[in-house]
Amino acid sequence: SRGWENADQAAVQLTNVLSNRTLNELMVGHAGFLFGEENLTQWSNHWLAAGSPFGAITTGSPRITFTNFTIGGNAGAPRYRVQDLYQVRNSLTTSYDARGRHDVKIGGELFLHQHYTNNCTQCMGIIDARGGAAPANIETLLPDAFNADTWNLAAISPLVRRYTLGILKSRRDVIRIPGYAAWMQDDWHMNDKLTLNLGVRYDLLWNMFQNQEEFLPFMESGRPQNTTNIQPRLGFTYQWDTQTVVRGGIGKYYGEMVQTTYPSEAKTVAVVEVLNDGRPDFAANPFNGPAPTDEQALQRYCAAPEQAANFAAWRARGFTGNAPCLLRGNGELKQPPPYNINSSWQSSIGFQRQVGSVSAVEVDYIFTKSRDEGWQQQNSNIRFNPATGVNYPFSDRSLLPYPEFGVVAMTVQNGRSTYHALQTAFTKRMSNRWQASATYTLGGLWDALGRPLQGVPGTTPVLVDFELAPDLDGEYGLSSTDLRHRAVLSGIWEVGRGFQVSGTHYTAIGERAETIYGGDLRKLGSSSTFIQRLRPDGTIVPRNSFTQPARNRTNLRVQQRVPLPRQASLDLIAEAFNVFNSPNWTISTQENNALYGKRTAGQFRTMQLGFRVLF
C-alpha cells in the first residue's frame, strides 16, 4: 500500500514556585495526527470508479482467501483518519518532614480524544474461496499481480463459498471520548537507607466503547460505562551497603484502548453477503448485475419485513442455492457487557551493584500478569455444540442463531497473558575515551484467547460456558511472540581528533512462531489464523510449536566531527546495518501452504550516509 501521514503537537507549560517546598505545573497541549492509505494495485474497473465519498476509486483488488493462499490487504482501504488529543494537566509537588522526608505529587488531567475515520470498509469485495486449494494455474489466472483488471475471477467460482461487499452509505460521524484522570504519589524517604514509593491513579474514559450506539441484536444502546479503573502502585529502594541497592515494586496498570469500536459503521456502511448460487461467473459477477446501492441493499436485507416471508420459505427448503435476499454483516462491534479495559499487574525485584569506579551490574526479576486483553472473534453469528465442543457449521443456516445475518465480528475482552523474565545488565560509563554495555534477558511469555461468544436467538451473544475443542477454547501456552534469549552488546570509542566509532550487536534465540494448518476446516466462516489448526485427518496442529532460526544483527556507525567557525561544527556520519549480512530467515509455518518449512523472508545489509550541523 501507499499513503501519507502528518503529525503535529504543541504544548504550553506554566511553572509556578509557590514556596521553597511547593511547585505547581500547569500544561495545556494538543497532539494531532492524520494519514491516508490506498493500495498499489490498479483496478480501473472497480465498482466505485465513477465516484464515491473517497472520490473515484481505481486502485485495489478483491481480497481472496483460498485454503492455502491469500491475496490480502487492509479491508478498510482506501482509508483516512484524523485524530486530535486536547489535554489540560495540573500537577502540584510539595515536600514535608514527618518520620522522614515526603515528596508528594498530586495531579489531575482532563482530555478530549477526538477522531474521524473514513474507511472504505470491505468495498474491495471479500471473496471466500476456501472451497478448495488455490488452482495450480493461479499465476495464469492472475497474470499481473499489480493490475486487477487482468484477473480471471470467474475461473475460481467453483471454489467460492461467499462474496462480501461493503456498500458506502455516508461518512462516519466524528467520535469524541472525554477522559479524566487523577493521581497521587508519595516518595517517602524514611531514612538514609530506605525509600518507599506509594501511589495510586484513577482513569475514566467516557463512552470508550461508544456505549450509546446500537446494532441489534448484537449490541444494545445504553451499555454501562467502565468506572472501576483504580490503580495502586508500591515501590521501594534499599541501600544495602555503599555499593549495592536493592529495589522493587508492584502496581496495577490499565492499557489505553488504541482503537475504539465502531458500531456506528452499520449506519455508514451496508455490509452484505451473497452465497454462491452456482453460476460459473459468480466470483466476477456475484450480484448477477451491478452492485446494489445502500437503499437497494436495505430493501433486500433478509432481516427486512418485506423479505421475511421469502427468507422463511427459503429456509424451509433446506437452504439450497443462494438466499433470495442479502445477508447483513458487520466487522467492528464490541462484545456485550460486562467488559473491562485490559489491565495488568506489573512487578519487579532486583539489585544494582557498583563494580570499581565506573562500572555497574544489574539483575532484576520481572513478572507481569495481564487480563481482559482484547481479541477479535471474526464471526459471532455461530453456535457451539456442548456435546462435541465444536461449532455447528456456518454454512448450515438452519442452525445459526441469527440466520438472516452473515459474518458479524466482535471484539472480546477476555484474553490473558503472563510474562516472566530475568533481566541482567553490565554498564561501563564513559572513561578513557570509551564506554560499553551488555544486556541479557531470559524470558517467557504465555498467553491465551478467551472462550468465544456464541449467538442466542432473540438477544445478544454470550460467552460459551462449556468446554470446547483445544483450538477453539483459548488454549493457554507459549505465545507466538515468546522470545527465550535476547542479548545486546553496544559500545562507543572516542578515537581522537573528532573521530568516533560505535556499534551494537543484537542476538535473539528461541523466538516462537504461530503454527497452523490453514483454511476454515471448522466451517466458522472466519479467516482468523488462530483457529486454523485443525487438520483434515482430525488432528490439531500444536499451538506455536515452531521456533524460528536465531537472529543476529551487527550495526556499525563512524562519525567525524569537523570544527567550523564561531563554535559551530559539522558531523559526517556513515552507518551500516547488519554488517555481516546475516540472513535472519523466517520460516513458513502454515502446513497447507506450498512454502511450508521454507524460507520466506530475510534481512540483508544496508548502509546510509548523513551529516549534521551543530551551532
Side-chain angles (χ1 to χ4, degrees):
S1 63
R2 59 188 173 197
W4 51 267
E5 63 180 57
N6 184 53
D8 61 85
Q9 57 184 346
V12 177
Q13 181 169 311
L14 174 63
T15 302
N16 192 2
V17 179
L18 302 178
S19 70
N20 61 348
R21 285 178 173 262
T22 305
L23 177 73
N24 190 79
E25 295 176 288
L26 174 65
M27 190 273 286
V28 178
H30 166 263
F33 176 76
L34 58 91
F35 77 86
E37 181 184 26
E38 65 179 8
N39 297 130
L40 287 172
T41 310
Q42 298 300 308
W43 193 9
S44 62
N45 293 323
H46 190 281
W47 68 286
L48 290 176
S52 75
F54 295 86
I57 298 179
T58 57
T59 62
S61 70
R63 287 18 176 176
I64 308 174
T65 304
F66 301 97
T67 59
N68 61 339
F69 180 70
T70 298
I71 300 173
N74 189 295
R79 59 187 184 134
Y80 308 94
R81 183 179 179 92
V82 181
Q83 179 174 301
D84 292 285
L85 177 64
Y86 302 92
Q87 186 176 27
V88 178
R89 176 189 298 174
N90 194 81
S91 179
L92 177 71
T93 304
T94 188
S95 62
Y96 63 93
D97 297 320
R99 296 187 179 182
R101 176 189 171 98
H102 295 259
D103 294 317
V104 178
K105 179 176 289 188
I106 302 173
E109 181 179 33
L110 304 175
F111 62 87
L112 175 64
H113 180 196
Q114 175 177 289
H115 61 265
Y116 168 74
T117 299
N118 201 23
N119 291 349
C120 195
T121 305
Q122 302 188 50
C123 72
M124 294 296 156
I126 311 296
I127 299 177
D128 181 345
R130 285 171 292 176
N137 63 337
I138 187 68
E139 293 182 356
T140 55
L141 298 181
L142 314 175
D144 186 346
F146 291 93
N147 187 351
D149 295 328
T150 67
W151 296 5
N152 183 2
L153 297 178
I156 67 172
S157 295
L159 302 175
V160 175
R161 302 192 302 182
R162 69 179 58 84
Y163 178 91
T164 304
L165 182 68
I167 301 172
L168 296 177
K169 299 162 64 178
S170 63
R171 289 182 176 270
R172 285 175 169 162
D173 297 330
V174 174
I175 288 181
R176 295 180 176 88
I177 302 173
Y180 314 89
W183 60 85
M184 180 177 70
Q185 179 168 319
D186 182 3
D187 296 330
W188 181 9
H189 308 276
M190 300 181 66
N191 50 52
D192 291 339
K193 286 183 173 290
L194 179 62
T195 297
L196 295 180
N197 311 108
L198 311 172
V200 64
R201 180 183 173 98
Y202 177 75
D203 286 285
L204 174 61
L205 299 176
W206 198 256
N207 274 346
M208 165 52 66
F209 303 113
Q210 296 299 287
N211 305 55
Q212 78 283 3
E213 296 289 351
E214 186 171 74
F215 184 71
L216 296 176
F218 300 92
M219 295 181 63
E220 298 176 343
S221 61
R223 299 181 304 284
Q225 301 287 338
N226 181 275
T227 60
T228 60
N229 303 327
I230 299 175
Q231 304 154 75
R233 284 93 183 265
L234 169 66
F236 79 94
T237 57
Y238 180 71
Q239 185 80 35
W240 186 272
D241 55 35
T242 57
Q243 294 180 308
T244 307
V245 172
V246 180
R247 71 274 178 103
I250 184 171
K252 188 174 186 180
Y253 298 82
Y254 281 92
E256 180 182 355
M257 299 299 292
V258 177
Q259 175 65 62
T260 60
T261 189
Y262 275 107
S264 59
E265 180 176 289
K267 300 178 181 179
T268 59
V269 178
V271 179
V272 299
E273 285 187 18
V274 187
L275 304 180
N276 193 339
D277 58 6
R279 286 182 290 110
D281 66 340
F282 175 80
N285 182 25
F287 297 100
N288 200 17
T293 65
D294 59 287
E295 294 87 357
Q296 293 168 340
L298 180 63
Q299 296 171 2
R300 293 174 57 185
Y301 279 147
C302 296
E306 57 270 27
Q307 295 290 344
N310 292 333
F311 185 59
W314 178 72
R315 292 176 59 188
R317 292 198 306 270
F319 300 88
T320 58
N322 200 1
C325 45
L326 297 178
L327 301 169
R328 191 177 184 186
N330 201 289
E332 296 185 6
L333 299 182
K334 185 63 188 172
Q335 79 167 63
Y339 50 72
N340 295 300
I341 297 175
N342 166 229
S343 64
S344 63
W345 283 96
Q346 302 178 22
S347 57
S348 67
I349 184 74
F351 72 90
Q352 182 179 35
R353 181 173 179 82
Q354 182 172 325
V355 180
S357 59
V358 294
S359 302
V361 174
E362 301 174 62
V363 179
D364 293 280
Y365 167 69
I366 309 296
F367 172 71
T368 300
K369 178 181 177 181
S370 181
R371 295 297 182 263
D372 300 320
E373 295 180 338
W375 61 281
Q376 189 179 67
Q377 180 179 336
Q378 292 195 348
N379 189 11
S380 60
N381 185 12
I382 202 77
R383 289 173 59 202
F384 294 86
N385 185 341
T388 63
V390 301
N391 58 286
Y392 295 106
F394 182 69
S395 56
D396 188 347
R397 308 202 69 80
S398 65
L399 298 176
L400 295 188
Y402 319 106
E404 68 274 25
F405 283 86
V407 172
V408 177
M410 302 187 78
T411 300
V412 189
Q413 294 286 145
N414 63 353
R416 59 191 174 115
S417 66
T418 304
Y419 178 68
H420 297 269
L422 180 67
Q423 296 181 352
T424 63
F426 173 80
T427 304
K428 178 193 175 296
R429 298 188 297 274
M430 177 65 74
S431 64
N432 298 322
R433 300 194 301 184
W434 70 280
Q435 71 178 50
S437 68
T439 64
Y440 167 71
T441 300
L442 171 65
L445 175 63
W446 291 259
D447 68 2
L449 306 178
R451 281 186 178 163
L453 297 164
Q454 70 170 349
V456 178
T459 186
T460 57
V462 299
L463 288 173
V464 175
D465 60 359
F466 49 84
E467 187 175 353
L468 300 174
D471 56 322
L472 301 173
D473 206 23
E475 186 178 9
Y476 186 75
L478 287 168
S479 170
S480 61
T481 56
D482 174 64
L483 178 58
R484 191 49 45 91
H485 305 280
R486 180 183 186 275
V488 179
L489 305 175
S490 65
I492 300 175
W493 178 26
E494 296 280 3
V495 180
R497 297 183 180 273
F499 186 66
Q500 181 188 88
V501 179
S502 59
T504 63
H505 177 75
Y506 166 86
T507 185
I509 301 173
E511 183 176 359
R512 289 190 171 264
E514 180 182 60
T515 48
I516 62 174
Y517 176 77
D520 183 21
L521 300 187
R522 289 289 188 199
K523 297 183 179 180
L524 280 160
S526 169
S527 60
S528 299
T529 58
F530 48 76
I531 59 169
Q532 296 184 18
R533 292 166 51 203
L534 181 68
R535 296 186 177 109
D537 63 3
T539 60
I540 297 174
V541 177
R543 182 173 185 260
N544 304 331
S545 58
F546 184 81
T547 302
Q548 293 285 358
R551 282 5 183 195
N552 286 283
R553 184 170 62 250
T554 301
N555 302 333
L556 182 66
R557 171 188 173 115
V558 295
Q559 175 179 310
Q560 176 66 58
R561 176 158 294 179
V562 180
L564 299 176
R566 299 187 178 182
Q567 298 183 335
S569 61
L570 171 67
D571 288 343
L572 303 176
I573 303 168
E575 295 177 316
F577 305 94
N578 197 10
V579 174
F580 299 107
N581 210 29
S582 299
N584 295 324
W585 297 112
T586 296
I587 307 300
S588 172
T589 56
Q590 180 175 332
E591 291 186 0
N592 71 349
N593 193 304
L595 297 176
Y596 175 63
K598 299 179 181 179
R599 301 168 177 175
T600 59
Q603 299 173 348
F604 304 97
R605 183 190 301 116
T606 59
M607 302 180 67
Q608 66 181 22
L609 302 174
F611 69 91
R612 179 174 57 192
V613 178
L614 294 86
F615 55 91

